[in-house]
Amino acid sequence: QVQLVESGGGLVAPGGSLRLSCAVSGGIFSIYNVAWFREAPGKQRDLVAGLKLTGDTNYANSVRGRFTISRDNAKNTMYLQMNNLKPEDTAVYYCNVDQTYWRLLMGTGIGSWGQGTQVTVSS
């Protein structure tokens, strides 16, 4: 079973930056597409960014140009660099993986959802 552990969240002022990490174990990381999701209080879990094995990316309109998804296969880890953070980015952030990109973007990746990492943007 693929396990996911997110880290790197915290409290940051508007305009600040954070880099989230997601350590993946229990599978062959290099064969997976990867993605980040977030869940704000009272809202559903939404896709933030996806990175296909081909290098193609998808970003939510609200984060395009501010967030960057990446991966390091040698470390079995994916990242989300978040710049120019806004209060509306406040949420719990989750990661997942899947060999099938569309299934991953739908939020039905093969990984067991982790605890997530809290990001709070506030002055």
Side-chain angles (χ1 to χ4, degrees), residues 33 41-42 62 75 80 88 96-97 100 107:
N33 304 290
S62 59
K75 296 182 178 180
L80 185 68
E88 52 264 41
N96 215 317
V97 301
T100 304

Side-chain angles (χ1 to χ4, degrees):
Q1 193 171 19
V2 178
Q3 302 292 326
L4 309 163
V5 178
E6 302 91 348
S7 62
L11 172 64
V12 62
S17 297
L18 284 173
R19 188 176 81 152
L20 306 184
S21 299
C22 171
V24 180
S25 61
I28 305 173
F29 181 68
S30 61
I31 68 172
Y32 297 136
N33 304 290
V34 299
W36 285 94
F37 301 81
R38 67 186 179 187
E39 188 173 325
K43 296 187 177 181
Q44 66 181 20
R45 189 172 300 177
D46 290 328
L47 175 71
V48 175
L51 174 60
K52 205 172 180 181
L53 286 167
T54 58
D56 293 335
T57 55
N58 293 84
Y59 291 96
N61 289 335
S62 59
V63 308
R64 188 174 290 112
R66 299 188 297 123
F67 290 13
T68 303
I69 186 172
S70 62
R71 64 189 296 162
D72 185 338
N73 286 347
K75 296 182 178 180
N76 289 351
T77 301
M78 69 176 89
Y79 304 97
L80 185 68
Q81 178 66 44
M82 306 187 296
N83 298 327
N84 189 22
L85 282 160
K86 303 177 180 181
E88 52 264 41
D89 295 318
T90 295
V92 180
Y93 284 71
Y94 301 88
C95 57
N96 215 317
V97 301
D98 203 284
Q99 287 183 264
T100 304
Y101 193 53
W102 68 261
R103 188 162 58 202
L104 174 62
L105 298 190
M106 292 291 289
T108 55
I110 64 167
S112 298
W113 291 104
Q115 298 283 341
T117 186
Q118 175 71 49
V119 172
T120 303
V121 185
S122 175
S123 54

